[in-house]
Amino acid sequence: MVSFFTSAKQLGLVVVIVIGLTSAACQRTADSRTTGELSTTTPSSDCRTVPHLIGETEICGQPKNMVALGSPALELLLALDMQPVAYGDHFAPHQGSYDAPAQQIPYLGSQVTGTPINVGSAFSPSIEAIVKAQPDLILATEYSEAEYPALSALAPTLILPWFDSDENLRTLAQLVGRPEQAEQLIAKRQQQIKTAREDFSAVVQAYPEVLALGTSNFPNLSLMTESNGFCASLVAELGFQLVYPADTDGTDPAVIPSVSIEILPQLNQAD
């Protein structure tokens, strides 16, 4: 992620622009469903029913060959010290094999220790490549919802909400028997946010207002709000006040309005 603050003298407010590979990861859809807890009624001691966005999936035994479709799914595995047997990127998928993941998978690749099979795009993955991986669990997000029938025919598949990282982590941790590790990670992140909020306090006091914009194709920009993006909600957690154009209140997660560069001076004048 590339982010920067423009001069307050130029715009009268802080502007954060999130560019490129993470803009998709920072946005979520309007679907507010959550994964929920693992079912307490299981067909056998080795099987459990896991609720997710599509419905429920029965998973038996300990998953070992896991396919991650999208960076949020990959991040969940890596956070719990697990490695994917196959991976599909959500933006500009790598061509060829993942034989050097540190260079081929943005941001998270340095933590990938193996050579996962490349299944193409997370949104429309190669079924043939997934079959080659012989998965016993497929992790995907709602952006792969249309692919669920094909994916679930190959292996137990969980469709997780893109944005809800804490609950997704809890769901996977329960599934693989690492719930305590998940809670430790969540507590650590919360402490990091608390520390960062203290570190940013002087900046927040001097420049309290932030306009958060995302793009994967500059100069085309999209407005990021607390309701539709993790990056913007994190900025708010640090103590900044998110600001929006006059015709947008930022409360509808289904609305991700476009913003032109030309509107920025108007926001300054309105302020």
Side-chain angles (χ1 to χ4, degrees), residues 209-241:
E209 296 181 324
V210 169
L211 176 66
L213 304 174
T215 181
S216 59
N217 185 24
F218 191 81
N220 299 319
L221 304 171
S222 297
L223 182 68
M224 303 175 69
T225 71
E226 284 189 76
S227 61
N228 71 24
F230 174 74
C231 294
S233 64
L234 179 59
V235 169
E237 284 188 273
L238 294 178
F240 294 99
Q241 177 185 348

Side-chain angles (χ1 to χ4, degrees), residues 70-113:
S71 55
L74 177 60
E75 184 177 23
L76 293 176
L77 290 176
L78 297 176
L80 294 173
D81 301 318
M82 297 181 292
Q83 294 290 323
V85 69
Y87 176 61
D89 208 340
H90 70 270
F91 186 88
H94 172 68
Q95 302 299 315
S97 62
Y98 284 119
D99 51 5
Q103 289 76 46
Q104 298 159 345
I105 300 177
Y107 307 110
L108 297 173
S110 61
Q111 300 179 52
V112 177
T113 58

